[in-house]
Amino acid sequence: MTENYFKTYPNKEGFFNEYGGAFIPPMLEEEMKKITDAYYAISKSHSFISELRSIRKHYQGRPTPVYYCNRLSDKYGGRIYLKREDLNHTGAHKLNHCMGEALLAKHLGKKKLIAETGAGQHGVALATAAAYFGLECEIHMGEVDMAKERPNVVRMRILGAKVVPVTHGLKTLKEAVDSAFEAYMKDPINTIYCIGSVVGPHPFPMMVRDFQRVVGIEAKEQFFDMTGELPDNVVACVGGGSNAMGIFSAFLDDSECSLYGVEPGGRSLEHGEHAATMTLGKPGIIHGFKCYTLQDENGEPSPVYSVASGLDYPGVGPEHSMLKDLKKVNYDVVSDKETIDAFFELSRLEGIIPALESAHAVAYAFKLAQENPQKSILVNLSGRGDKDLDFVVENYEMPE
Ligand SMILES: *Cc1c(COP(=O)(O)O)cnc(C)c1O
């Protein structure tokens, strides 16, 4: 039945029921159609599948383990397990889709990968993939973000990527998207625009999901080997939604597993203080696709905020939008404060420093564990916290 789901969603036009699609200029329509057709053909070829499998094993270090958290489970109740995507090469799940996108680019004969980045995580993963395949890489980044995220700018440059500073408007992510897009439109034959999550026009939400499915496939088998059963609960944080789609995709048909997507509740649920797109947003069109979105009356994206820069996006993947309406996945929020507490708890009790994005999922797991101490919980630990250390010690007090 699961394969049937993946054949049904998205449909040929890239819709997950009413969400998704491709609301883009005619010139891009043709290019997206080419990428879609090539993806359908190439992704089923033996050479593509076996090359990706080999990369995952020998370069990325997959499969990543599933780990049982003894001390956390003792303290909070429940049986808490982590899928360790923080142990994937470069320290997060993003490389799963970047390697897939770059491999597709190579098969398409492209010479250059283009993308925007906000906090720099997508830029670093893509620069890594470009180095691996010997492709050029151009990352557009707002000047304000470049100053904030200097270590990632340095990483991208060391990896051989060209970082293009974006100096107009607010000099952040939105302007970087426009700038990267413009650069891509100048030479769509030799370049490919690599999107960093399950968002954007068709075929990206589908492709990125497919490249992330490896997380769920591995985790389901590993969890079953360890326990002889399926998890009662599966939890993942949701920014654009790629790590969550990766793990949820293996459990969509298992009605005994409850799935939870955790959104950033930020400082409060007041306008501009959070990025709880699905909890508080409504359907609309953003960046070329339809999804739940936080927008004002004029359709302009609302300002969003989260302590985790990888989660502050005013839209969300179209597949998540559909799964919310179908009630297949529960979406809820966790605040900055709960996130920081979970960040320290996991560090102190298990010796694992999580990314602030992933700490949202950990914080939610604590709540589930306390409500239902007899149940098991599988958390997708999407990344490690090295990138967040300076920010946390500068802004929060160390617990006793
Ligand atoms: C970027 C990022 C996220 C958010 O992206 P999704 O597409 O929602 O998965 C989550 N965790 C980490 C570690 C990230 O770097």
Side-chain angles (χ1 to χ4, degrees):
M1 186 179 166
T2 297
E3 273 317 307
N4 207 12
Y5 173 89
F6 295 109
K7 284 197 185 105
T8 312
Y9 302 111
N11 73 5
K12 286 266 175 306
E13 287 76 43
F15 282 95
F16 298 84
N17 290 345
E18 68 170 290
Y19 303 103
F23 300 85
I24 49 180
M27 179 188 163
L28 257 190
E29 255 171 39
E30 203 179 307
E31 199 47 41
M32 287 298 153
K33 186 163 181 329
K34 267 192 228 159
I35 295 174
T36 307
D37 292 345
Y39 173 72
Y40 278 125
I42 293 169
S43 65
K44 288 179 188 65
S45 76
H46 176 73
S47 71
F48 186 91
I49 292 168
S50 64
E51 191 171 355
L52 194 56
R53 194 174 288 157
S54 167
I55 289 168
R56 285 171 174 169
K57 178 170 175 193
H58 300 290
Y59 183 68
Q60 292 181 230
R62 304 201 69 89
T64 58
V66 165
Y67 166 70
Y68 175 63
C69 297
N70 236 315
R71 297 187 65 208
L72 275 184
S73 303
D74 276 353
K75 177 161 177 184
Y76 288 91
R79 282 167 283 134
I80 303 173
Y81 294 79
L82 305 177
K83 174 61 171 165
R84 298 289 308 275
E85 285 304 292
D86 60 317
L87 295 176
N88 195 31
H89 178 45
T90 71
H93 70 289
K94 282 197 175 73
L95 197 65
N96 297 330
H97 60 250
C98 285
M99 294 306 283
E101 287 174 323
L103 181 61
L104 181 69
K106 200 189 87 171
H107 279 256
L108 287 167
K110 305 282 183 185
K111 301 199 166 40
K112 188 173 177 180
L113 311 178
I114 296 186
E116 81 287 343
T117 194
Q121 296 302 109
H122 177 51
V124 169
L126 197 65
T128 303
Y132 177 94
F133 287 106
L135 295 165
E136 283 175 63
C137 185
E138 187 177 298
I139 304 294
H140 294 244
M141 192 168 183
E143 251 185 355
V144 169
D145 290 334
M146 283 178 73
K148 263 205 231 160
E149 311 287 346
R150 227 189 104 65
N152 277 339
V153 175
V154 175
R155 260 180 216 117
M156 286 184 262
R157 288 186 170 143
I158 288 174
L159 289 162
K162 182 175 162 201
V163 182
V164 179
V166 180
T167 55
H168 64 276
L170 295 176
K171 305 172 192 173
T172 60
L173 184 65
K174 185 180 175 299
E175 291 78 20
V177 174
D178 298 339
S179 168
F181 212 68
E182 242 170 69
Y184 169 59
M185 295 289 281
K186 279 188 192 137
D187 187 11
I189 305 292
N190 292 305
T191 62
I192 185 166
Y193 193 123
C194 293
I195 291 179
S197 186
V198 286
V199 298
H202 182 58
F204 282 94
M206 170 183 72
M207 290 199 306
V208 172
R209 171 200 69 193
D210 289 354
F211 292 136
Q212 289 293 348
R213 277 181 64 190
V214 64
V215 176
I217 291 167
E218 285 175 9
K220 188 173 190 174
E221 190 180 322
Q222 291 166 317
F223 190 92
F224 193 83
D225 283 348
M226 290 170 86
T227 65
E229 54 187 34
L230 293 180
D232 296 312
N233 303 292
V234 180
V235 183
C237 65
V238 178
S242 64
N243 87 88
M245 266 333 300
I247 197 155
F248 293 166
S249 59
F251 299 96
L252 289 172
D253 287 334
D254 299 309
S255 52
E256 67 269 45
C257 303
S258 303
L259 309 180
Y260 294 91
V262 185
E263 298 197 287
R267 293 189 204 99
S268 79
L269 295 181
E270 298 293 315
H271 177 81
E273 300 268 285
H274 63 85
T277 313
M278 277 192 290
T279 307
L280 295 169
K282 46 184 200 298
I285 292 169
I286 180 173
H287 296 149
F289 69 106
K290 186 171 177 189
C291 64
Y292 274 91
T293 157
L294 294 164
Q295 292 178 320
D296 64 20
E297 314 75 62
N298 304 320
E300 284 299 311
S302 298
V304 283
Y305 159 82
S306 164
V307 70
S309 46
L311 300 182
D312 61 357
Y313 182 60
V316 66
E319 193 165 5
H320 285 290
S321 303
M322 176 185 80
L323 292 170
K324 173 185 159 77
D325 288 1
L326 295 176
K327 299 189 165 51
K328 286 256 187 195
V329 179
N330 309 288
Y331 294 91
D332 206 343
V333 295
V334 149
S335 70
D336 279 4
K337 172 158 190 332
E338 292 166 317
T339 299
I340 296 294
D341 291 345
F343 172 90
F344 282 116
E345 281 290 274
L346 184 58
S347 303
R348 296 276 169 106
L349 289 173
E350 300 288 348
I352 298 169
I353 304 176
L356 287 176
E357 291 81 3
S358 324
H360 281 77
V362 176
Y364 200 76
F366 294 169
K367 293 193 198 188
L368 290 175
Q370 285 165 327
E371 280 164 20
N372 262 313
Q374 72 288 4
K375 302 273 180 172
S376 62
I377 305 165
L378 174 62
V379 179
N380 196 13
L381 198 74
S382 54
R384 67 179 180 224
D386 302 46
K387 66 185 179 60
D388 299 315
L389 303 182
D390 290 345
F391 175 83
V392 170
V393 295
E394 276 161 28
N395 292 282
Y396 294 91
E397 216 165 299
M398 204 71 81
E400 287 299 298

